[in-house]
Amino acid sequence: MSVSTAAVATAICAPLPVLGRDVTVPLVTGGEVTYAALDYAASAPALQRVWDDVAAYAPYYGSVHRGAGYLSQLSTDLFENARKTVAEFLDCRTDDQLIFTRSTTDSLNLLAQALPADCQVFVFETEHHASLLPWKDARVTYLNAPRTPAQAVETLEKALADRDPYGPALVCVTGASNVTGELWPVRELAAAAHAHGARIVLDAAQLAPHHPVSVQDLDVDWVAFSGHKLYAPFGSGVLAGRADWLQAADPYLAGGGASRKVTRREDGGVDVEWHESAARHEAGSPNVIGAYSIASACKALTEAGFDTLVAREQHLIDTVRAGLAEVPEVRVLSLFGDDAPRVGVISFVVEGWNSSHFAAALSAEYGIGVRDGLFCAHPLVRTLLGSDPQTQGECGAPEAAPGEKSLNAIRVSFGAGTPDEHVERFVNAVKELVRSGAKWQYRTEDGRCVPAV
């Protein structure tokens, strides 16, 4: 992005208002500072719009689907309209089902439970654990980390060409890495999957908050994401896509709401007729506030305009990457290289520092919240850090098995609610810590690096 474009993007799009933007935190060196929340990839703050919408509805909360009272009827309409709003946000097909879940992890475990018998699953080792681990009951092929988008497509095509062509197959892929922020070639991977008779599910947890996600344009069969990464941290997620596998599977949870009819048998047992709609996998009392908050966030992002949001975020990405590039001791982690398009998620290591120690100093001395560790993507981070020497026993160093190196990294992440000042403060803090070291002493407590008292 050119300087002029960045200036325009910043001028026409201020950060979207989020909760916590004025919170101050104490510094171990004395005084207080406005907190810089730069851990959006884990959980983004709630949009003020989302909070206001939820607060306005809360007095009218009632049971969903089974209540005759006014508040129950109102809540049911709200819940089902939220389903329509999110489906529109995702550009779902007319016959797709959209199921409200608890999170991306919950969504992908639901889909894993709904796989047809003898289904083969293909997943890259680069996935977040939410999309790497749920497939334990299927025949899973784990694909090595690609080093270019083209190599990702080639790797998948080869694996699919070598599979048993007569059984069902599913490909699971991320839209944007939760470690590197890099965008994956979803449309090309979907085309490869369909050419070989497989289906594909998109983990959009890191993509949906930053870029528009169109089920039809990307031609994916399912998409999953979490509300808490989409500025709606009220305990809901989404699985949306083709209905047939979901309708054929036993309910994810057995209970009220999923059942259409339950009758006693003469032998003392019960017969159950399950719903074929999304309710089949939404047993129990729905989280109507969680669903409504996701719909509110979808409306807010759509109204703000993704073109503008993406342009402004690119300005923030450029600021962080340019600042880190000025520090020779910093190495930014990447699969696809410096020129790869990405969202506002950047991981790095600092020569001479354990990452937990560095992150603790950013928090305690500068009021900056980042992430450190392996980011629930252990195989990917180990691949990216495998050749890096690490000093074991340093403050906050993760435990390692005998003979293993202690590996961890630092992740900074941001989005639509991030002020320029936060990323500028982060860049300056990195430079100062590398140049002058920490001002405070730190110790390990319960596996975490914390300021020594």
Side-chain angles (χ1 to χ4, degrees), residues 288-324:
V288 59
I289 288 180
Y292 181 49
S293 71
I294 291 179
S296 174
C298 290
K299 288 180 180 178
L301 293 174
T302 300
E303 291 168 6
F306 267 108
D307 287 347
T308 304
L309 293 174
V310 169
R312 184 176 185 279
E313 184 173 308
Q314 187 61 52
H315 164 61
L316 299 180
I317 293 170
D318 292 345
T319 299
V320 173
R321 286 177 58 82
L324 294 180

Side-chain angles (χ1 to χ4, degrees), residues 13 96 119 129 179 341 390 412:
C13 182
D96 282 342
C119 186
H129 294 172
V179 176
Q390 297 282 326
V412 57

Side-chain angles (χ1 to χ4, degrees), residues 384-404:
L384 296 173
L385 295 182
S387 60
D388 279 10
Q390 297 282 326
T391 303
Q392 295 189 44
E394 193 177 349
C395 180
E399 294 181 2
E404 270 193 355

Side-chain angles (χ1 to χ4, degrees), residues 104-123:
T104 308
T105 301
D106 197 38
S107 295
L108 293 172
N109 275 270
L110 189 166
L111 183 60
Q113 181 267 339
L115 296 181
D118 203 32
C119 186
Q120 289 182 270
V121 175
F122 297 83
V123 56

